[in-house]
Amino acid sequence: LYVVSRIKDMIISGGENIYPAEVETVLLEFPEVAEACVVGRPDARWGEVVAAAVVLKPGCSMTEAQAIARFEGRIARYKQPREVHFLERLPRSALGKVQKEAVRAAIMEGRMKANKIDHICIAVKNLEAARKVWEPILGKDKPDDAYVDEPEKIRVARYWLGSGLGA
């Protein structure tokens, strides 16, 4: 038996453990916030940084800077989100549970658009796992190619973004 999603919920930034629920609790205290989800985003320096996805209540507005500033003095600085993304709704499973992998993928999609990335490579246990996460975002039911990275023996799925995300 392998449980793969719960261990990934914990964010490790610079060697420090960050529990998303703690950050989400602070976000939900903001009167403008209806829903919140916190995930780790890969970062070259820290390993991961805190990224938040927020759904605002109808008629409310908030900027990323305003949201980040409100964390000052509430939780340790290393636990504070480095970025806040505003979504119309959080992706949920049939049981109503927030799909954190889909949130993480949506955050990465936004970063790819901003940085004009032309393709992505995803290390996967199997191609079906890659399809479930990336099909809704990229509109492709399979990767453009897949290969095994020989030194590390990791299966990699590659998606070319073309005029979509990288445009």
Side-chain angles (χ1 to χ4, degrees):
L1 174 68
Y2 293 95
V3 178
V4 292
S5 65
R6 289 292 181 203
I7 191 120
K8 190 58 192 146
D9 282 354
M10 184 172 57
I11 301 164
I12 302 174
S13 183
E16 298 286 345
N17 293 345
I18 302 165
Y19 295 94
E22 181 181 1
V23 182
E24 289 166 358
T25 299
V26 174
L27 280 166
L28 292 170
E29 290 174 0
F30 301 167
E32 302 88 347
V33 175
E35 295 181 285
C37 178
V38 172
V39 296
R41 179 188 55 75
D43 182 77
R45 180 175 182 191
W46 300 106
E48 288 183 301
V49 293
V50 177
V54 171
V55 176
L56 295 175
K57 291 178 181 174
C60 293
S61 65
M62 175 186 286
T63 66
E64 179 182 37
Q66 289 170 330
I68 292 171
R70 288 195 189 166
F71 276 89
E72 199 61 41
R74 292 181 155 202
I75 59 174
R77 185 161 285 173
Y78 72 91
K79 296 179 181 182
Q80 297 175 11
R82 298 289 173 100
E83 53 195 54
V84 177
H85 301 266
F86 297 96
L87 304 178
E88 291 181 19
R89 62 181 173 79
L90 294 178
R92 296 187 178 275
S93 69
L95 298 174
K97 183 176 184 248
V98 173
Q99 295 177 318
K100 289 201 174 210
E101 280 303 317
V103 170
R104 188 176 289 107
I107 288 170
M108 294 306 293
E109 174 191 8
R111 294 184 60 78
M112 288 185 288
K113 283 181 181 176
N115 294 315
K116 299 194 182 291
I117 295 172
D118 65 352
H119 74 278
I120 56 172
C121 292
I122 308 161
V124 295
K125 287 188 176 186
N126 61 55
L127 295 179
E128 181 64 19
R131 185 191 68 75
K132 285 181 181 178
V133 172
W134 291 98
E135 181 180 0
I137 294 168
L138 302 175
K140 296 181 177 185
D141 62 347
K142 62 181 179 178
D144 295 301
D145 60 42
Y147 58 92
V148 176
D149 184 357
E150 283 305 319
E152 286 83 24
K153 301 286 188 212
I154 298 171
R155 174 168 277 155
V156 177
R158 182 178 9 219
Y159 293 87
W160 287 97
L161 305 175
S163 62
L165 296 177

